[in-house]
Amino acid sequence: MGLIIRILISAVAVIVASYVIPGVGVDGFGTALIVAIVLGLLNAFLKPILVFLTIPITIITLGLFYLVINVLMVYLTDYLVGGFQVSGFIAALLFSILVSVVTWLIDSIVS
């Protein structure tokens, strides 16, 4: 039950981010649900591998490269999900920060 609630709240965060951040577009709540699921799967399976492989550059940049990895996850989601558009690095960065903060807040409340 908690997983479904987290996905739904992440989908709402995706919708809110698409309204707040120029350069991010979502074609509806169904697309936002798919974006939330795909982004969650990418963050669960691909992101740890990328973080491990980029440890040296992340250390050199004092952790700022971790933001680039988040942006890459958003771009990959944009590529995989039709109806979800991100135009530009800054839009993807702001989107990833907003969705991460909302997800973190939800995890702290639900858990």
Side-chain angles (χ1 to χ4, degrees):
M1 186 67 171
L3 179 65
I4 294 172
I5 292 171
R6 288 180 182 162
I7 291 173
L8 288 174
I9 294 175
S10 293
V12 170
V14 168
I15 292 277
V16 169
S18 71
Y19 284 120
V20 172
I21 301 168
V24 177
V26 179
D27 288 344
F29 190 73
T31 304
L33 276 173
I34 295 170
V35 167
I37 292 169
V38 169
L39 198 56
L41 290 172
L42 288 174
N43 284 337
F45 294 109
L46 185 61
K47 189 174 183 178
I49 296 168
L50 289 176
V51 168
F52 178 74
L53 292 175
T54 60
I55 286 174
I57 194 165
T58 303
I59 291 171
I60 290 171
T61 61
L62 302 175
L64 290 177
F65 194 75
Y66 192 72
L67 295 173
V68 174
I69 293 173
N70 283 339
V71 170
L72 289 175
M73 295 296 104
V74 173
Y75 276 146
L76 189 55
T77 304
D78 176 25
Y79 177 75
L80 294 173
V81 178
F84 176 61
Q85 305 87 23
V86 178
S87 60
F89 183 84
I90 300 296
L93 179 65
L94 293 175
F95 178 83
S96 69
I97 290 171
L98 183 64
V99 171
S100 296
V101 167
V102 169
T103 304
W104 171 73
L105 286 173
I106 298 310
D107 285 342
S108 65
I109 292 170
V110 172
S111 297

